[in-house]
Amino acid sequence: MTQNTISLRPALPQDATELARCFNAAYAEYRGVIDGLPDVSAGIDQDITNNQVWVALEDQQIIGGLVLITQQTHVKLANIAVDPKYRGKGAGRRLLDLADQQATQQGHHILRLNTHKDMLANLAMYRHLGWIETARSGVSVSMEKHIKVDAP
């Protein structure tokens, strides 16, 4: 049995190019297939400066990332992606668990996200992980998750 060598750390400004590459690789299968998909890596350098951005690494190589934006009543999961070459190793799950932890550390118990209505596998995965759909507008599906807090 191989040991999981994935680690997580806050993104650094010098990670912007590699993180953008990772996000673009993760969404490449949807380009040209799904209408209305935004540029998923635009502004990643500003995100690293202004928001909470984390990277997943394997052997010091960025294989995934997470962008969180703190709002007044919740934390928005603005982007999460894992390079397709590294899927199935647990990086995505670790990043989602980290989102829960970061939200609760900031005193929030709600995470929100928007995804594309045609990303059916993502919709199914989020539902399986306890997210509920709250609204649809155009191609956007809004979802939220209430984070369970352990009683003291």
Side-chain angles (χ1 to χ4, degrees), residues 9 25 32 37 44 46 52 54 90 99 105 108 118 121 135 142:
R9 68 162 168 78
L37 191 65
I44 193 64
Q46 290 94 358
Q52 301 163 68
W54 295 80
Q105 284 178 8
H108 294 294
D118 294 330
S142 298

Side-chain angles (χ1 to χ4, degrees), residues 31-94:
R31 293 264 172 243
V33 178
I34 292 180
D35 290 330
L37 191 65
D39 182 347
V40 296
S41 63
I44 193 64
D45 51 342
Q46 290 94 358
D47 280 329
I48 291 171
T49 299
N50 300 321
N51 298 307
Q52 301 163 68
V53 181
W54 295 80
V55 292
L57 302 122
E58 183 175 72
D59 298 325
Q60 302 308 310
Q61 179 176 341
I62 294 174
I63 64 166
L66 170 71
V67 178
L68 299 174
I69 301 172
T70 301
Q71 308 279 304
Q72 193 169 12
T73 61
H74 64 279
V75 172
K76 180 176 183 172
L77 195 160
N79 203 347
I80 184 170
V82 174
D83 185 311
K85 295 181 288 195
Y86 297 92
R87 287 187 185 147
K89 294 185 170 199
R93 183 56 184 231
R94 294 212 28 218

Side-chain angles (χ1 to χ4, degrees), residues 2-151:
T2 60
Q3 184 175 351
N4 187 341
T5 59
I6 295 170
S7 61
L8 305 178
R9 68 162 168 78
L12 304 170
Q14 58 266 32
D15 294 329
T17 300
E18 188 60 20
L19 187 55
R21 182 214 53 81
C22 182
F23 281 173
N24 288 330
Y27 286 90
E29 66 189 273
Y30 301 111
R31 293 264 172 243
V33 178
I34 292 180
D35 290 330
L37 191 65
D39 182 347
V40 296
S41 63
I44 193 64
D45 51 342
Q46 290 94 358
D47 280 329
I48 291 171
T49 299
N50 300 321
N51 298 307
Q52 301 163 68
V53 181
W54 295 80
V55 292
L57 302 122
E58 183 175 72
D59 298 325
Q60 302 308 310
Q61 179 176 341
I62 294 174
I63 64 166
L66 170 71
V67 178
L68 299 174
I69 301 172
T70 301
Q71 308 279 304
Q72 193 169 12
T73 61
H74 64 279
V75 172
K76 180 176 183 172
L77 195 160
N79 203 347
I80 184 170
V82 174
D83 185 311
K85 295 181 288 195
Y86 297 92
R87 287 187 185 147
K89 294 185 170 199
R93 183 56 184 231
R94 294 212 28 218
L95 288 166
L96 285 170
D97 289 345
L98 178 64
D100 288 359
Q101 293 166 9
Q102 290 299 304
T104 56
Q105 284 178 8
Q106 296 169 42
H108 294 294
H109 302 290
I110 298 174
L111 279 170
R112 291 189 178 145
L113 64 79
N114 292 322
T115 191
H116 196 286
K117 71 175 182 66
D118 294 330
M119 295 178 121
L120 302 178
N122 287 4
L123 288 167
M125 176 199 63
Y126 287 125
R127 285 185 187 112
H128 175 75
L129 295 174
W131 292 76
I132 57 170
E133 185 176 324
T134 58
R136 284 188 182 231
S137 178
V139 298
S140 181
V141 178
S142 298
M143 302 183 86
E144 74 178 28
K145 177 184 176 190
H146 293 258
I147 303 167
K148 293 180 181 153
V149 180
D150 294 328

